[in-house]
Amino acid sequence: MKSQRRKIICFLLFLYSVSRCIAQDRQFPHAVGGVLDLRQENLFANQLALDGQWEFYWNELINPQLGPTGTTRYTAFPSPWKKDTIDGKPLPSQGYASYRLTVLLPRRHPRLAMRVPDVYSTYALYGNGELLSRNGRPGTTAGSTKPFWALRVVYFPSESDTLVLVLQVANFHHAKGGPYKAIILGDL
C-alpha cells in the first residue's frame, strides 16, 4: 500500500514538473515594429505583457487622436531612457516622449483590463484616442509636469478588435526617466 501511494505521489510530482516546464517554455508574443498580434491568443486564460518593440517619439507628446508627426523610431518596451540612443547618443533621464503600440485582438475576448505600473515619473495612457489612465501630469517642461507614482488597473470596452495605445511619459523630477515595468493586458 505504501509502495502504491509512493508511486502515485512520484507520478503526480512528475506531472507537475512537466507542466511547469511546458508553461515556462511557452513563448508569448512580443511587439514587432509597433504591432503586437494577439489574434491567436486566449485572453480568457492568459495575462500578457505588452512588451517588445514600440514606436518611440522623443521630445514629442503625440496627440492620441491624430497620431505622430515626427520621425518614427522603435524602442524596447519597457526600458528607461538612459538605455536608448538617438543618432548614437544616449538619451538623458530628463525629458518627455511618447510610445505607440497597435494591439491586434482576437475577435472573441473577455472584457479587457490593463495593469498599468508607475513610470519615471508621470504618464498619460490613451486607448483608441480616449484617456484610460493618468499618473500625475506629463508635460514638456519641469513646470508643466507633475510627477506621481501609483499602480492602476484600467478597464476598457471590448468591442474593438484593434487597440491603439499611446503612452505619453515625462520626467523632470527623478534621476531615471521612462517606463521600467511591463503593462499587463488580460481578463484581470
Side-chain angles (χ1 to χ4, degrees):
M1 189 62 123
K2 285 186 179 182
S3 170
Q4 181 79 4
R5 188 175 351 164
R6 207 176 278 151
K7 286 180 183 178
I8 291 172
I9 290 172
C10 286
F11 180 72
L12 290 175
L13 287 173
F14 171 75
L15 285 179
Y16 174 76
S17 298
V18 169
S19 69
R20 295 285 297 172
C21 288
I22 291 170
Q24 289 174 352
D25 285 345
R26 165 93 162 87
Q27 294 295 316
F28 290 105
H30 281 69
V32 176
V35 177
L36 179 59
D37 189 348
L38 301 179
R39 291 177 290 186
Q40 303 303 314
E41 295 299 316
N42 180 356
L43 297 180
F44 290 94
N46 296 318
Q47 294 178 2
L48 302 170
L50 302 181
D51 292 348
Q53 201 178 53
W54 287 45
E55 294 176 19
F56 180 66
Y57 304 91
W58 180 247
N59 283 339
E60 187 177 353
L61 297 179
I62 63 175
N63 183 320
Q65 286 91 16
L66 301 178
T69 58
T71 302
T72 301
R73 291 182 172 86
Y74 297 97
T75 190
F77 186 95
S79 178
W81 293 333
K82 281 202 169 208
K83 294 183 179 181
D84 285 320
T85 62
I86 293 181
D87 298 329
K89 298 176 185 170
L91 296 179
S93 294
Q94 309 290 301
Y96 57 97
S98 295
Y99 298 80
R100 190 168 184 263
L101 179 68
T102 300
V103 182
L104 305 176
L105 298 167
R107 285 190 179 164
R108 191 167 121 33
H109 55 81
R111 180 174 182 226
L112 295 173
M114 283 187 291
R115 188 173 353 167
V116 186
D118 58 281
V119 303
Y120 295 121
S121 64
T122 182
Y123 76 83
L125 176 66
Y126 296 85
N128 294 344
E130 301 294 322
L131 180 64
L132 298 177
S133 179
R134 177 178 289 174
N135 263 356
R137 183 181 63 239
T140 58
T141 65
S144 66
T145 300
K146 180 180 177 189
F148 193 80
W149 287 269
L151 171 72
R152 307 254 191 231
V153 174
V154 180
Y155 294 91
F156 52 91
S158 61
E159 292 86 34
S160 178
D161 63 356
T162 302
L163 176 63
V164 178
L165 296 174
V166 171
L167 179 66
Q168 299 173 339
V169 178
N171 177 55
F172 294 97
H173 301 87
H174 196 278
K176 298 178 184 176
Y180 66 104
K181 297 178 186 173
I183 297 173
I184 306 297
L185 174 75
D187 185 13
L188 303 176

